[in-house]
Amino acid sequence: MTSNEVRHHAHFVKAFGDVPPVLANESRLGQVFLNLIVNAAQAIPVGRADRNEVRVTTAVDGPDGVTVEVADTGIGIPADKIERIFDPFFTTKPAGVGSGLGLAICHRIISELGGSISVRSVVGEGTTFRVTLRRATEVAAVIAPPVAAAPQPVATRRGRLLVVDDEPALCTTIELVLARDHDVTTVTSPRRAAALIEAGERFDLLLSDLMMPEMTGMELYSKLAEAAPEQAARMIFMSGGTLTADGAKFLHAPGRVSIDKPFRAAALRDLVRTVLDATQSPP
Ligand SMILES: Nc1ncnc2c1ncn2[C@@H]1O[C@H](COP(=O)(O)OP(=O)(O)OP(=O)(O)O)[C@@H](O)[C@H]1O
Ligand SMILES: [Mg+2]
Protein backbone atom coordinates (compact mmCIF):
# COMPACT_ATOMS: atom_id res chain seq x y z
CA MET A 1 0.00 0.00 0.00
CA THR A 2 2.86 2.38 0.65
CA SER A 3 5.16 1.44 -2.22
CA ASN A 4 4.04 4.37 -4.37
CA GLU A 5 4.55 6.78 -1.52
CA VAL A 6 8.00 5.41 -0.66
CA ARG A 7 9.45 4.73 -4.12
CA HIS A 8 10.39 8.31 -5.00
CA HIS A 9 11.97 8.96 -1.62
CA ALA A 10 13.90 5.85 -0.62
CA HIS A 11 14.67 2.16 -0.88
CA PHE A 12 12.33 0.08 1.19
CA VAL A 13 14.25 -2.48 3.24
CA LYS A 14 12.50 -5.32 5.03
CA ALA A 15 14.70 -6.70 7.78
CA PHE A 16 12.26 -9.18 9.16
CA GLY A 17 13.52 -11.37 11.98
CA ASP A 18 11.97 -14.64 13.06
CA VAL A 19 9.36 -13.41 15.53
CA PRO A 20 6.48 -15.16 17.31
CA PRO A 21 2.85 -14.02 17.00
CA VAL A 22 1.86 -10.99 19.06
CA LEU A 23 -1.31 -9.93 20.84
CA ALA A 24 -2.79 -7.64 18.25
CA ASN A 25 -5.27 -7.15 15.48
CA GLU A 26 -4.17 -7.15 11.90
CA SER A 27 -6.20 -4.22 10.60
CA ARG A 28 -5.22 -1.94 13.48
CA LEU A 29 -1.55 -2.83 13.14
CA GLY A 30 -1.96 -2.09 9.45
CA GLN A 31 -3.12 1.42 10.34
CA VAL A 32 -0.14 1.92 12.64
CA PHE A 33 2.53 0.80 10.18
CA LEU A 34 0.87 2.54 7.26
CA ASN A 35 1.17 5.85 9.07
CA LEU A 36 4.71 5.21 10.31
CA ILE A 37 5.92 4.26 6.82
CA VAL A 38 4.17 7.19 5.11
CA ASN A 39 5.63 9.53 7.74
CA ALA A 40 9.08 8.05 7.11
CA ALA A 41 8.79 8.55 3.35
CA GLN A 42 7.49 12.10 3.77
CA ALA A 43 10.49 12.94 5.95
CA ILE A 44 12.87 12.22 3.04
CA PRO A 45 13.06 14.80 0.26
CA VAL A 46 12.19 13.42 -3.20
CA GLY A 47 14.83 12.75 -5.83
CA ARG A 48 17.59 10.89 -4.06
CA ALA A 49 15.91 7.56 -3.51
CA ASP A 50 19.18 5.70 -4.21
CA ARG A 51 20.80 7.30 -1.17
CA ASN A 52 17.97 6.98 1.32
CA GLU A 53 16.12 4.19 2.98
CA VAL A 54 13.06 3.32 4.97
CA ARG A 55 13.84 0.19 6.92
CA VAL A 56 11.38 -1.98 8.81
CA THR A 57 13.02 -4.32 11.30
CA THR A 58 11.28 -6.91 13.43
CA ALA A 59 12.98 -8.60 16.36
CA VAL A 60 12.34 -10.51 19.55
CA ASP A 61 12.59 -8.32 22.66
CA GLY A 62 13.14 -10.36 25.81
CA PRO A 63 10.92 -13.30 26.72
CA ASP A 64 7.60 -11.46 26.28
CA GLY A 65 8.04 -8.85 23.62
CA VAL A 66 8.46 -8.24 19.92
CA THR A 67 9.71 -4.97 18.47
CA VAL A 68 9.03 -3.47 15.10
CA GLU A 69 11.15 -0.49 14.11
CA VAL A 70 10.45 1.87 11.25
CA ALA A 71 13.63 3.81 10.55
CA ASP A 72 14.26 6.48 7.96
CA THR A 73 17.20 8.55 6.77
CA GLY A 74 15.07 11.69 6.60
CA ILE A 75 15.26 15.19 8.01
CA GLY A 76 14.84 14.15 11.64
CA ILE A 77 12.77 15.81 14.36
CA PRO A 78 14.15 18.77 16.31
CA ALA A 79 14.23 18.49 20.11
CA ASP A 80 11.56 21.19 20.60
CA LYS A 81 9.06 19.28 18.44
CA ILE A 82 9.69 15.68 19.45
CA GLU A 83 7.71 16.09 22.70
CA ARG A 84 4.62 17.07 20.73
CA ILE A 85 4.54 14.66 17.80
CA PHE A 86 2.09 12.26 19.46
CA ASP A 87 -0.35 15.11 20.26
CA PRO A 88 -3.53 15.12 18.17
CA PHE A 89 -3.41 17.77 15.42
CA PHE A 90 0.31 18.40 15.79
CA THR A 91 1.70 18.57 12.27
CA THR A 92 4.54 20.34 10.52
CA LYS A 93 3.10 19.47 7.11
CA PRO A 94 1.35 22.02 4.91
CA ALA A 95 -2.44 22.32 5.18
CA GLY A 96 -4.00 19.54 3.16
CA VAL A 97 -1.04 17.17 3.52
CA GLY A 98 -1.20 16.25 7.19
CA SER A 99 -3.97 16.36 9.77
CA GLY A 100 -1.59 15.57 12.61
CA LEU A 101 -3.71 12.65 13.75
CA GLY A 102 -1.54 9.79 12.46
CA LEU A 103 0.75 9.40 15.46
CA ALA A 104 -2.01 10.15 17.97
CA ILE A 105 -3.96 7.23 16.49
CA CYS A 106 -0.84 5.00 16.44
CA HIS A 107 -0.23 5.77 20.10
CA ARG A 108 -3.78 4.96 21.08
CA ILE A 109 -3.89 1.70 19.16
CA ILE A 110 -0.57 0.46 20.54
CA SER A 111 -1.52 1.43 24.12
CA GLU A 112 -4.81 -0.42 23.79
CA LEU A 113 -2.90 -3.50 22.67
CA GLY A 114 -0.80 -3.30 25.82
CA GLY A 115 2.32 -2.28 23.90
CA SER A 116 4.37 0.89 23.64
CA ILE A 117 5.70 3.24 21.00
CA SER A 118 8.78 5.43 21.25
CA VAL A 119 10.91 7.57 18.99
CA ARG A 120 14.52 8.61 18.66
CA SER A 121 15.78 11.05 16.11
CA VAL A 122 18.87 12.93 15.03
CA VAL A 123 18.25 16.06 12.96
CA GLY A 124 19.75 15.62 9.50
CA GLU A 125 20.31 11.90 9.97
CA GLY A 126 16.95 10.30 10.49
CA THR A 127 14.27 9.00 12.79
CA THR A 128 13.39 5.61 14.21
CA PHE A 129 10.00 4.71 15.65
CA ARG A 130 10.00 1.60 17.81
CA VAL A 131 6.80 -0.30 18.53
CA THR A 132 6.89 -2.97 21.21
CA LEU A 133 4.11 -5.54 21.25
CA ARG A 134 3.35 -8.35 23.65
CA ARG A 135 4.06 -11.86 22.56
CA ALA A 136 0.99 -14.09 22.31
CA THR A 137 1.43 -17.33 24.17
CA GLU A 138 0.13 -20.39 22.36
CA VAL A 139 -2.87 -20.57 24.65
CA ALA A 140 -3.59 -16.89 24.22
CA ALA A 141 -3.39 -17.26 20.47
CA VAL A 142 -6.06 -19.93 20.45
CA ILE A 143 -8.29 -18.90 23.34
CA ALA A 144 -8.79 -15.38 24.70
CA PRO A 145 -5.90 -13.95 26.73
CA PRO A 146 -6.26 -14.31 30.52
CA VAL A 147 -7.98 -11.34 32.11
CA ALA A 148 -4.96 -10.35 34.19
CA ALA A 149 -2.80 -10.15 31.09
CA ALA A 150 -5.36 -8.40 28.91
CA PRO A 151 -4.32 -4.99 27.66
CA GLN A 152 -5.76 -2.22 29.78
CA PRO A 153 -8.32 -0.33 27.74
CA VAL A 154 -7.59 3.37 27.63
CA ALA A 155 -10.33 5.21 29.49
CA THR A 156 -12.35 7.39 27.18
CA ARG A 157 -15.49 9.30 27.71
CA ARG A 158 -18.74 8.52 25.93
CA GLY A 159 -19.54 11.24 23.46
CA ARG A 160 -22.83 12.68 22.23
CA LEU A 161 -22.60 12.44 18.48
CA LEU A 162 -24.74 13.84 15.70
CA VAL A 163 -24.45 12.14 12.32
CA VAL A 164 -25.74 14.00 9.25
CA ASP A 165 -25.91 12.10 5.97
CA ASP A 166 -28.62 12.12 3.32
CA GLU A 167 -28.13 8.37 2.77
CA PRO A 168 -30.21 6.57 5.40
CA ALA A 169 -28.19 3.34 4.95
CA LEU A 170 -24.97 5.14 5.76
CA CYS A 171 -26.53 6.75 8.86
CA THR A 172 -27.53 3.29 10.06
CA THR A 173 -24.09 1.83 9.40
CA ILE A 174 -22.31 4.65 11.20
CA GLU A 175 -24.70 4.32 14.12
CA LEU A 176 -23.93 0.57 14.32
CA VAL A 177 -20.21 1.28 14.30
CA LEU A 178 -20.27 4.01 16.94
CA ALA A 179 -23.21 3.22 19.22
CA ARG A 180 -21.29 0.85 21.49
CA ASP A 181 -18.99 3.64 22.64
CA HIS A 182 -21.10 6.75 22.11
CA ASP A 183 -24.64 8.12 22.16
CA VAL A 184 -25.46 8.60 18.50
CA THR A 185 -28.24 10.68 16.94
CA THR A 186 -28.60 10.44 13.17
CA VAL A 187 -30.43 12.75 10.78
CA THR A 188 -30.72 12.51 7.01
CA SER A 189 -31.46 16.20 6.66
CA PRO A 190 -28.88 18.92 7.31
CA ARG A 191 -31.72 21.40 7.93
CA ARG A 192 -32.96 19.14 10.71
CA ALA A 193 -29.41 19.05 12.13
CA ALA A 194 -29.25 22.85 12.13
CA ALA A 195 -32.71 23.03 13.71
CA LEU A 196 -31.68 20.73 16.56
CA ILE A 197 -28.71 22.89 17.36
CA GLU A 198 -30.62 26.13 16.99
CA ALA A 199 -33.13 24.67 19.45
CA GLY A 200 -30.32 24.32 21.98
CA GLU A 201 -29.18 20.69 21.55
CA ARG A 202 -25.45 20.30 22.09
CA PHE A 203 -23.11 17.58 20.79
CA ASP A 204 -19.52 16.62 21.50
CA LEU A 205 -19.00 15.89 17.86
CA LEU A 206 -20.82 16.31 14.56
CA LEU A 207 -20.08 13.95 11.71
CA SER A 208 -21.38 15.46 8.49
CA ASP A 209 -21.42 14.38 4.88
CA LEU A 210 -20.01 17.03 2.56
CA MET A 211 -22.24 16.59 -0.49
CA MET A 212 -25.95 16.53 0.28
CA PRO A 213 -28.69 17.76 -2.08
CA GLU A 214 -30.56 19.84 0.49
CA MET A 215 -27.61 21.70 1.94
CA THR A 216 -23.88 20.89 1.68
CA GLY A 217 -21.71 20.16 4.68
CA MET A 218 -20.01 23.49 4.01
CA GLU A 219 -23.33 25.34 4.16
CA LEU A 220 -24.22 23.55 7.37
CA TYR A 221 -20.85 24.58 8.76
CA SER A 222 -21.44 28.27 7.87
CA LYS A 223 -24.91 28.17 9.38
CA LEU A 224 -23.58 26.69 12.61
CA ALA A 225 -20.58 29.01 12.64
CA GLU A 226 -23.12 31.82 13.11
CA ALA A 227 -25.68 30.08 15.32
CA ALA A 228 -23.33 28.03 17.53
CA PRO A 229 -19.64 28.47 16.61
CA GLU A 230 -18.45 26.03 19.26
CA GLN A 231 -20.56 23.34 17.57
CA ALA A 232 -19.25 24.24 14.11
CA ALA A 233 -15.75 23.73 15.51
CA ARG A 234 -16.65 20.16 16.42
CA MET A 235 -17.47 18.99 12.90
CA ILE A 236 -15.80 16.10 11.11
CA PHE A 237 -16.54 15.99 7.38
CA MET A 238 -17.04 12.84 5.36
CA SER A 239 -16.15 13.28 1.73
CA GLY A 240 -16.44 10.88 -1.15
CA GLY A 241 -15.56 11.10 -4.82
CA THR A 242 -14.19 14.16 -6.53
CA LEU A 243 -14.22 17.47 -4.75
CA THR A 244 -15.08 20.81 -6.26
CA ALA A 245 -12.32 23.42 -5.96
CA ASP A 246 -14.29 25.09 -3.16
CA GLY A 247 -14.81 21.76 -1.44
CA ALA A 248 -11.09 20.97 -1.54
CA LYS A 249 -10.17 24.40 -0.21
CA PHE A 250 -12.71 24.05 2.58
CA LEU A 251 -11.55 20.58 3.64
CA HIS A 252 -7.91 21.55 3.59
CA ALA A 253 -8.29 24.65 5.75
CA PRO A 254 -6.18 24.46 8.92
CA GLY A 255 -7.80 22.60 11.79
CA ARG A 256 -10.48 21.00 9.65
CA VAL A 257 -10.91 17.26 10.15
CA SER A 258 -12.21 14.96 7.46
CA ILE A 259 -12.38 11.32 6.52
CA ASP A 260 -12.64 9.93 2.98
CA LYS A 261 -15.50 7.65 2.08
CA PRO A 262 -15.48 4.71 1.98
CA PHE A 263 -13.75 4.28 5.32
CA ARG A 264 -13.14 1.32 7.58
CA ALA A 265 -15.15 1.01 10.79
CA ALA A 266 -11.95 0.96 12.87
CA ALA A 267 -10.65 4.11 11.18
CA LEU A 268 -13.88 5.96 11.98
CA ARG A 269 -13.87 4.78 15.60
CA ASP A 270 -10.26 5.87 16.03
CA LEU A 271 -10.84 9.26 14.47
CA VAL A 272 -13.91 9.92 16.64
CA ARG A 273 -12.08 8.88 19.80
CA THR A 274 -9.02 10.91 18.99
CA VAL A 275 -11.02 14.05 18.25
CA LEU A 276 -13.19 13.55 21.34
CA ASP A 277 -10.12 13.14 23.52
CA ALA A 278 -8.61 16.27 22.01
CA THR A 279 -11.66 18.46 22.68
CA GLN A 280 -13.37 19.50 25.88
CA SER A 281 -17.00 18.77 26.74
CA PRO A 282 -19.36 21.39 25.36
CA PRO A 283 -20.67 24.01 27.79
N1 LIG B 1 9.63 9.88 10.43
C1 LIG B 1 9.50 11.18 10.73
N2 LIG B 1 10.50 12.06 10.48
C2 LIG B 1 10.37 13.37 10.77
N3 LIG B 1 9.28 13.92 11.33
C3 LIG B 1 8.25 13.10 11.62
C4 LIG B 1 8.29 11.69 11.33
N4 LIG B 1 7.13 11.14 11.74
C5 LIG B 1 6.39 12.14 12.24
N5 LIG B 1 7.05 13.32 12.17
C6 LIG B 1 6.57 14.64 12.65
O1 LIG B 1 5.46 14.43 13.49
C7 LIG B 1 4.32 15.16 12.99
C8 LIG B 1 3.06 14.43 13.36
O2 LIG B 1 2.96 13.20 12.65
P1 LIG B 1 1.51 12.55 12.42
O3 LIG B 1 1.68 11.29 11.69
O4 LIG B 1 0.79 12.54 13.72
O5 LIG B 1 0.77 13.64 11.55
P2 LIG B 1 1.05 14.06 10.03
O6 LIG B 1 1.88 13.02 9.34
O7 LIG B 1 1.56 15.45 10.04
O8 LIG B 1 -0.42 14.05 9.45
P3 LIG B 1 -1.34 12.75 9.17
O9 LIG B 1 -0.59 11.53 9.62
O10 LIG B 1 -2.56 12.99 10.00
O11 LIG B 1 -1.57 12.78 7.72
C9 LIG B 1 4.60 15.32 11.50
O12 LIG B 1 3.92 16.42 10.95
C10 LIG B 1 6.11 15.51 11.49
O13 LIG B 1 6.47 16.84 11.84
MG1 LIG C 1 1.36 10.95 9.52
Side-chain angles (χ1 to χ4, degrees):
M1 282 171 79
T2 55
S3 60
N4 255 334
E5 187 83 36
V6 175
R7 189 177 319 143
H8 305 290
H9 301 260
H11 288 296
F12 190 72
V13 182
K14 296 180 198 167
F16 294 167
D18 187 13
V19 295
V22 292
L23 281 177
N25 160 316
E26 197 177 321
S27 74
R28 309 199 94 205
L29 283 190
Q31 268 181 282
V32 170
F33 294 118
L34 183 70
N35 184 61
L36 293 182
I37 294 168
V38 169
N39 279 354
Q42 289 178 343
I44 300 169
V46 216
R48 289 168 58 190
D50 53 330
R51 297 216 221 147
N52 285 288
E53 72 176 33
V54 172
R55 176 180 290 261
V56 182
T57 309
T58 62
V60 170
D61 182 47
D64 302 320
V66 168
T67 58
V68 185
E69 289 194 341
V70 178
D72 66 64
T73 53
I75 52 173
I77 308 172
D80 63 324
K81 303 231 163 61
I82 205 157
E83 301 281 295
R84 296 165 60 204
I85 57 168
F86 291 102
D87 293 350
F89 305 117
F90 176 79
T91 182
T92 55
K93 293 171 192 169
V97 176
S99 66
L101 288 173
L103 286 175
I105 291 172
C106 290
H107 189 269
R108 167 176 291 284
I109 291 174
I110 297 298
S111 309
E112 283 181 350
L113 292 171
S116 60
I117 179 167
S118 61
V119 60
R120 51 181 200 275
S121 185
V122 178
V123 172
E125 286 183 18
T127 303
T128 300
F129 282 86
R130 165 184 278 224
V131 173
T132 303
L133 294 160
R134 291 164 356 120
R135 181 186 189 137
T137 63
E138 252 173 76
V139 177
V142 181
I143 316 169
V147 175
Q152 286 299 304
V154 176
T156 47
R157 76 194 160 86
R158 231 181 137 76
R160 275 201 87 203
L161 269 47
L162 178 65
V163 177
V164 193
D165 197 302
D166 59 305
E167 269 186 67
L170 197 64
C171 281
T172 310
T173 308
I174 295 176
E175 187 172 356
L176 280 173
V177 168
L178 297 173
R180 190 191 62 198
D181 300 321
H182 308 288
D183 300 321
V184 184
T185 304
T186 63
V187 290
T188 50
S189 147
R191 283 195 214 292
R192 170 95 185 110
L196 284 175
I197 288 161
E198 280 160 2
E201 292 265 10
R202 286 296 174 265
F203 299 92
D204 295 303
L205 229 163
L206 285 77
L207 201 58
S208 172
D209 190 15
L210 202 60
M211 290 307 162
M212 294 175 283
E214 188 185 83
M215 180 193 274
T216 67
M218 292 178 268
E219 288 165 332
L220 178 60
Y221 173 85
S222 318
K223 212 167 156 66
L224 295 185
E226 274 182 28
E230 109 315 300
Q231 294 282 288
R234 288 161 190 275
M235 292 180 81
I236 295 179
F237 297 92
M238 302 179 282
S239 66
T242 19
L243 287 172
T244 60
D246 278 355
K249 197 169 157 216
F250 176 81
L251 279 191
H252 296 158
R256 204 136 289 159
V257 181
S258 62
I259 183 166
D260 289 338
K261 290 202 244 180
F263 40 74
R264 286 169 174 270
L268 181 67
R269 275 195 209 108
D270 284 329
L271 178 65
V272 166
R273 275 195 182 184
T274 305
V275 174
L276 272 179
D277 288 353
T279 50
Q280 301 294 311
S281 302

